[in-house]
Amino acid sequence: MTRHLQMRSAPQRKISGREWLVFLIGFMGAGKTTVGKVLAKRLGWKFYDLDQLIETREQRSIASIFAESGENTFRTIESAVLNELLEQQLKEDSAIVALGGGAFVHPHNRDVLQRAGVVTVLLSAPVEELARRCQSSGNMRPLAGDQRKFEQLFESRQEAYSLAQFRVETQGKPVQQVAKEIERLLKTSN
Ligand code: S3P
């Protein structure tokens, strides 16, 4: 477990208070949604999945948004939904939020998160493991079809991902263990 402190300039939200906002980031297949749900349940907090919110708002799947409107439009919607989430739904309660794999890569989204004073946790795993998880999941990911592009995208995002405040390795660990590790690091960092 490594701590990255580059984004800690904003005041941290308190785990004992009502507004501890933890954003799970990482590449496709990192387990952000799966771990996020388990972690939120353990803590008794709300859980939000940004991709799910996008699909609900758009009334179409992420794959359809990419196919019908293109990635740029998807990114615009993604940023808008992130803003709405921070402004409207996350005011009162502590929550865990799973971000889509590309959301944290965009500097504008990182700025918004930093200004909001949220905690960011990177879930990491080797690219071969991430590819295996994406292939075995039923989730149709528009950017996971081509293995070589998948690996290139993974490499190109490492610098942005390294800006997360915390990093948790997930390879070979059951979901409950990853959730427990995040819970422990949140408590010890408070
Ligand atoms: C994307 C990851 C996806 C989804 C979209 C784009 C990406 O989310 O937001 O397909 O750019 O890495 P997951 O990371 O939950 O698969």
Side-chain angles (χ1 to χ4, degrees):
M1 206 181 291
T2 315
R3 285 176 75 145
H4 297 270
L5 300 176
Q6 291 95 323
M7 284 185 59
R8 301 208 87 163
S9 54
Q12 293 299 290
R13 308 224 179 202
K14 297 203 168 29
I15 198 162
S16 50
R18 293 193 313 154
E19 333 169 63
W20 182 266
L21 303 179
V22 177
F23 278 68
L24 302 183
I25 69 159
F27 204 62
M28 293 170 272
K32 304 173 295 280
T33 302
T34 315
V35 170
K37 280 182 187 163
V38 170
L39 180 61
K41 201 167 174 198
R42 288 179 67 91
L43 294 164
W45 294 356
K46 285 189 177 169
F47 172 74
Y48 297 94
D49 179 275
L50 199 72
D51 283 343
Q52 183 66 60
L53 294 174
I54 292 169
E55 289 185 338
T56 303
R57 178 182 131 147
E58 285 291 300
Q59 290 295 292
R60 52 187 176 149
S61 67
I62 301 289
S64 302
I65 300 171
F66 269 75
E68 294 162 9
S69 311
E71 181 170 352
N72 286 347
T73 299
F74 171 76
R75 297 299 171 199
T76 305
I77 299 167
E78 186 176 50
S79 294
V81 174
L82 176 61
N83 273 299
E84 283 165 20
L85 182 66
L86 285 166
E87 279 167 19
Q88 293 160 23
Q89 307 210 41
L90 297 179
K91 283 243 166 78
E92 307 259 309
D93 298 306
S94 292
I96 305 292
V97 182
L99 283 187
F104 194 70
V105 175
H106 292 266
H108 170 76
N109 295 337
R110 288 203 301 274
D111 285 350
V112 166
L113 292 171
Q114 185 173 18
R115 276 202 301 276
V118 311
V119 174
T120 50
V121 180
L122 171 68
L123 301 188
S124 73
V127 69
E128 301 76 23
E129 169 71 11
L130 296 167
R132 200 187 52 72
R133 291 183 197 164
C134 286
Q135 277 154 18
S136 65
S137 89
N139 187 354
M140 269 288 295
R141 291 178 167 97
L143 299 178
D146 179 294
Q147 179 66 20
R148 210 168 62 87
K149 285 192 186 145
F150 187 82
E151 285 172 13
Q152 283 169 350
L153 193 59
F154 174 82
E155 284 308 322
S156 72
R157 288 181 174 176
Q158 295 312 303
E159 198 178 330
Y161 288 158
S162 76
L163 297 171
Q165 292 158 343
F166 298 99
R167 178 190 197 105
V168 175
E169 177 57 50
T170 65
Q171 192 184 28
K173 294 179 187 167
V175 173
Q176 283 287 353
Q177 185 185 334
V178 176
K180 232 188 258 181
E181 280 186 28
I182 299 171
E183 189 178 342
R184 203 177 315 126
L185 77 83
L186 294 176
K187 285 183 173 155
T188 53
S189 75
N190 191 28

